[in-house]
Structures are given as C-alpha cells and as structure tokens.
Amino acid sequence: MLDTTLKNQLRAHLERVTQPVQIVSSLDDRAASGEMRELLDEIATLSDKIQVRHDGSDARRPSFSVSRAGHDMGLRFAAIPMGHEFTSLVLALLQAGGHPPKVDAESIEQIRALEGDFVFETYMSLSCHNCPDVVQALNLMAVLNPRIRHVAIDGGLFRGEVESRRIMAVPAVFLNGEMFGSGRMELADILARVDTGAAARDAARLGAKAAFDVLIVGGGPAGAAAAVYAARKGIRTAVVAERFGGQTLDTLGIENFISVQETQGPKFAAALEAQVRSVGVDIMNGQRVAALEPAAQAGGEITVTLANGAALKSRSVILAAGARWRNVGVPGEQAYRNKGVAYCPHCDGPLFKGKRVAVIGGGNSGVEAAIDLAGVVAHVTLLEFADQLKADAVLVNKLRSLPNVDIHTGAQTSEISGDGNQVTGLRYVDRASAQTHDVDLAGVFVQIGLVPNTEWLRGTVELSRYGEIIIDDKCATSVPGVFAAGDATTVPYKQIIVAGGEGAKAALSAFDHLIRSPLAQR
C-alpha cells in the first residue's frame, strides 16, 4: 500500500519513537478493512517499537486505536489516513511513542490541566487540507490527557453517520455528542473554548508584554515578510494574528510563487511561520484584534487592543489583516452555511459525491471550483453575474468541455433555499429577461472574491469605498507610524508574491519612520 519512497521516509520518522506503541484495529468484511489491515501491517514492519493487533472490539468499523503500550490514550482513526491525513497518522505514532510535540510548554500544561471528560469526533475528508490541523490538535490532546478521547472519521467511509448527523462541511467536530464547531480550528481555538479561564489568563499574559518597536497585525504572506524584514533590523518585533498563514491555509495549490515551482498552502504557511520564528519574532497566534488607537504624541506608542481585552503597545504598527471570502448576501446563505453552503470545494466537495451542486462566481476561483467538483458530483450549475465568464480562457475552455456542467451568465442569485436542515435549491434571475429560475440541488459553493478584514479600523485609518486601507507608495496610512500591506490595502493584484513584497516594503518604511522619530517623553 505504501510505495518504497514513502516507506523509507516513514521508517526514518519512526526512528524517533522511544516508547513502544500498540495499534489495535477493529475490522469487518468491507474492502476498506482489508486496506486498513494492509496499511497497519506495513507500518509494523518499519519499526520494532510498533506492534499491531487486529482483535479490537470498537463498534465503529473499520477503525484503529493508537496508544503507548500499557496506556489507553483515546486516540482513534475511523479512516485509512492517507492523502492529507497521512501526516496526522505519522504524528500520532510519534507522539504516542514519546517524541515531544512541537507545541509550546504552556499549551501542553493547559491540556494536561483540563478537567472533565471530553469525547471528540471529527468528520473529515482525505482531500481536505483544512482538516489535518483539527485532527492533529485533538489527537495531541488525547495523547496528553487521559480524560480526552478523539476519533477522526472519514466521511466517505461512514456515509450513514454523515447523513444522519446532516454533515455538509468538513471538518465537523462533535464534543460529547453535540456539535462543537466546523471549519479550520487551531489548537489555541479549541483550548479557548473548552478552558473557560483561558481568555482571562491570556489577556493578562499578553497585556504584560513590554512595548514593541514594530507590531504587525496579521500573519499571512504580507505580515510574515514584514516580520522578517523588521526583525533583521535588530528591533523588537511581534506578530499578532488570528491564524498564522492567513488565506494560504485555505489554498490547495500554489504554483506561481517565484522559485517555488509547486507547493500546498498549509505547507507554505508552515514555512512562513518557521522563518519568522527563526529571526526571534514574538508570535501571538489565535488572537483577534478589536481596535487601534493612534499615539497621543509624535514618537509615542500606538495601542492595539485585542478581543480578549489585552492592550499591546508599539512605536509603529503594520496592518496586514488580509481578506476573507465574500458572501453573496442573499436569503438562506447564512442560515445554511455549512449545511450545504460552502466556500472550499477541495474540502467539502467529496461530501456531495453523486449530488447536484452550484458554483456562484465565474472568475478563476469559480471556474476552477466547478472543474474540480465536476469530477466528484453528479452535476454542476455555474452562475456568473456578468455577461461573460471572467476566468482565463484555458479554464473556460476546459469547463465548457465537461458534459455535466451548465453555465449561466448574466445570472443574479436571489435566494438559497432549504428544508430547515440543509440546502435543497437555489433561485436566480436572468438579468436579460428578468425571468426567475429555480434549481434543485444539494450544495452551493460561493466563489465571488474577497473582502478586506478592516471593519475594526473604520474611523481610525482612511479606507476606500471597498473597505481597503488607503496607502501611499511607501505603505504609509493616514495615521502617523501606522503602515499597511497585502490584500487589506488598495494595492492592486491580490497575489501572494505581491503581498510579500508589500510586507517587506512596509517594514522598511516602518524602520525608516522609527529612526527619524524622536522618543516621546513618558
């Protein structure tokens, strides 16, 4: 099941296992059970510290547990964890085998100190690039705390459960039988929700930090580049981000970043973070910024207030808050979000196998999504508001060649309908004839561009009518000492490489501002 290259790589990883690991599978007569047995037996041949048994009694079959010998770690895969989840399997083996996780000591102690019994179930798909972070975070929690249990469930393998629980988007996490959350979640996000005292402790810890020279808001390519350039100037630099990596975490393939022929978004984001950490930047991840207060006097400190109440001080600030998917803004969209309304075809597409779906948006993202989905679902209806598709010609030609795709231009989506539990249809208006059309379908994928994350800046810095931060050629905003870069700004062409260049420019401008500004009297 594993090719020679993958076996050699896995064998090298498993050399880090220091404690004996036991894998126990619970199988049935399905073909998937045979595949699982084959995979686990192959893994056992790669390390003398891993033993495999096939006499498990778990009710969910096929599945297998991973534990340190003599311990019950509550870590289980109801999946054949290949694809994006292969890394989750490798990490589970390493962590169960005593290899220290790459997590800060404070988070480890927080996990170990959690009181109560937590049974997590994560429904995922093997093609989902957002799922591994959630699976790996919950697996780690199960390894560190015996009162935490977690099972990662392949929705494609357990269709009955997916349908009975009305799961329309992955990852979908249940805690003690109740819906806990869906979509990408970091370890810090999960801990903040299950540890009720975490927010107050976090605010106190962050608020006690000394003032920075440069504080960067946002951890995408612009924020990461700004952090590296600022830190290399030898000044006190920090990044505060809701999720380090930004939009790249939601990008499956990156093929246009110069010198990197091809990579995947999460891998690219991890590389960004590793480089930023390597230059000594203080990273405050999992933190949402609520407000910015300009300095009271020239050379004074700017205040950035977080959602948890902590106030961070800095002599200069670089805003690299990025952007998010734009909503259609029609009735039914929010009501059926993650119940048929989706924004990531790579993650959620497999959940609609054999069903009819729509894609809203005729740019590159929309057409690429429709092409991708056409290979999985029964039928795709693509709706574009403009009179013609805006995607590249090569993509449009590919789309038009597909037999199970209908294309409607000049189509204005007016409503997404459902039965109270999930999407059942979509209504659109033909803008030329004013005729209304109803389409029966199970899912709607929204791909209509981005909106900048700048609502919290209104009334503080000057914004364009689109909500973008207005900057000059040196990335300066309307507020002295505050600079901005990336997709949240008026700079044209929202591209990773453009954002990185703008981040570097903003850092150089911030440094120039600092060396020319007097220190305010305290």
Side-chain angles (χ1 to χ4, degrees):
M1 192 166 187
L2 302 176
D3 61 33
T4 302
T5 300
L6 200 54
K7 283 184 179 180
N8 290 336
Q9 292 173 345
L10 183 54
R11 182 182 287 108
H13 284 302
L14 294 180
E15 290 178 359
R16 304 173 191 172
V17 173
T18 60
Q19 302 292 322
V21 173
Q22 187 168 76
I23 301 174
V24 180
S25 70
S26 299
L27 306 175
D28 55 19
D29 57 0
R30 287 198 287 171
S33 286
E35 294 176 20
M36 182 176 289
R37 178 190 288 268
E38 180 183 353
L39 172 64
L40 299 180
D41 287 343
E42 286 187 8
I43 290 173
T45 67
L46 303 178
S47 172
D48 58 5
K49 288 188 168 60
I50 295 178
Q51 294 184 337
V52 175
R53 292 177 16 219
H54 299 296
D55 56 356
S57 57
D58 193 83
R60 189 180 273 119
R61 299 168 182 259
S63 67
F64 64 92
S65 63
V66 177
S67 290
R68 190 171 303 155
H71 297 73
D72 180 10
M73 288 183 160
L75 190 163
R76 177 171 292 275
F77 287 91
I80 302 170
M82 301 299 288
H84 290 297
E85 292 298 342
F86 187 69
T87 300
S88 300
L89 172 60
V90 175
L91 288 175
L93 294 170
L94 292 178
Q95 291 164 2
H99 186 71
K102 293 182 178 180
V103 177
D104 61 275
E106 186 175 348
S107 294
I108 290 174
E109 289 308 309
Q110 186 179 0
I111 294 169
R112 287 175 171 160
L114 287 174
E115 297 181 355
D117 295 313
F118 303 88
V119 179
F120 288 99
E121 299 167 287
T122 300
Y123 289 87
M124 50 79 173
S125 70
L126 300 181
S127 62
C128 170
H129 58 280
N130 286 327
C131 295
D133 279 356
V134 179
V135 171
Q136 291 163 25
L138 291 170
N139 281 350
L140 175 61
M141 291 172 65
V143 167
L144 295 175
N145 188 325
R147 300 185 70 175
I148 299 174
R149 310 187 74 80
H150 176 237
V151 55
I153 306 163
D154 178 4
L157 200 56
F158 292 89
R159 298 289 304 178
E161 292 188 38
V162 167
E163 292 174 3
S164 65
R165 283 184 153 174
R166 299 185 183 278
I167 295 167
M168 305 294 290
V170 292
V173 181
F174 288 76
L175 171 58
N176 297 336
E178 300 294 330
M179 187 65 182
F180 177 76
S182 62
R184 189 184 188 90
M185 288 180 280
E186 306 286 345
L187 177 61
D189 301 323
I190 298 169
L191 289 176
R193 292 189 58 184
V194 298
D195 185 355
T196 55
R201 293 196 305 271
D202 220 18
R205 176 179 61 85
L206 296 175
K209 290 179 179 286
F212 300 99
D213 292 312
V214 177
L215 176 62
I216 299 151
V217 178
V228 170
Y229 267 74
R232 284 169 59 87
K233 293 293 186 181
I235 56 181
R236 182 170 160 76
T237 305
V239 173
V240 58
E242 195 163 353
R243 54 176 194 155
F244 203 98
Q247 293 176 60
T248 62
L249 293 169
D250 302 323
T251 304
L252 184 61
I254 298 173
E255 300 177 351
N256 58 355
F257 191 85
I258 306 306
S259 84
V260 179
Q261 186 170 347
E262 182 180 0
T263 188
Q264 294 180 334
K267 182 178 180 181
F268 184 83
L272 289 179
E273 184 172 353
Q275 185 169 9
V276 171
R277 290 191 184 279
S278 74
V279 291
V281 173
D282 185 348
I283 296 179
M284 294 165 276
N285 201 13
Q287 301 295 333
R288 185 166 59 86
V289 176
L292 181 144
E293 181 181 341
Q297 55 183 310
E301 294 172 351
I302 301 161
T303 302
V304 172
T305 303
L306 306 184
N308 63 16
L312 304 174
K313 305 284 187 178
S314 183
R315 294 178 59 210
S316 67
V317 169
I318 296 174
L319 303 172
R324 63 187 183 277
W325 289 115
R326 185 181 300 278
N327 292 324
V328 185
V330 299
E333 181 178 18
Q334 292 306 314
Y336 292 103
R337 190 182 182 98
N338 295 327
K339 297 178 181 179
V341 175
Y343 299 83
C344 179
H346 306 296
C347 301
D348 300 332
L351 297 176
F352 296 88
K353 184 177 181 179
K355 299 180 180 180
R356 302 176 71 87
V357 303
V359 173
I360 301 176
N364 281 348
S365 296
V367 172
E368 287 173 352
I371 294 170
D372 185 12
L373 289 166
V376 177
V377 304
H379 186 272
V380 180
T381 299
L382 185 138
L383 304 176
E384 164 56 37
F385 182 84
D387 294 334
Q388 59 184 8
L389 300 180
K390 296 171 288 186
D392 295 340
V394 63
L395 295 174
V396 173
N397 291 337
K398 172 64 176 178
L399 182 69
R400 294 190 184 280
S401 72
L402 300 176
N404 61 334
V405 175
D406 286 338
I407 302 170
H408 300 285
T409 56
Q412 181 175 1
T413 304
S414 58
E415 183 181 357
I416 297 171
S417 56
D419 61 7
N421 294 307
Q422 61 191 43
V423 167
T424 58
L426 174 148
R427 175 171 293 178
Y428 73 92
V429 177
D430 186 311
R431 296 174 57 230
S433 66
Q435 186 175 355
T436 298
H437 299 270
D438 291 311
V439 182
D440 293 331
L441 42 76
V444 178
F445 288 81
V446 180
Q447 301 281 292
I448 57 172
L450 303 168
V451 58
N453 298 316
T454 57
E455 291 86 352
W456 59 282
L457 291 167
R458 286 175 183 157
T460 304
V461 300
E462 187 178 0
L463 304 178
S464 73
R465 64 190 180 98
Y466 301 109
E468 298 169 321
I469 304 167
I470 297 174
I471 57 174
D472 65 13
D473 58 355
K474 293 186 177 180
C475 295
T477 72
S478 59
V479 177
V482 178
F483 302 84
D487 287 3
T489 73
T490 50
V491 68
Y493 311 121
K494 313 302 187 186
Q495 298 289 310
I496 293 173
I497 197 164
V498 174
E502 289 292 300
K505 190 200 301 182
L508 295 174
S509 296
F511 180 72
D512 185 67
H513 166 80
L514 290 175
I515 62 177
R516 297 174 186 275
S517 298
L519 288 174
Q521 296 297 317
R522 296 188 179 184

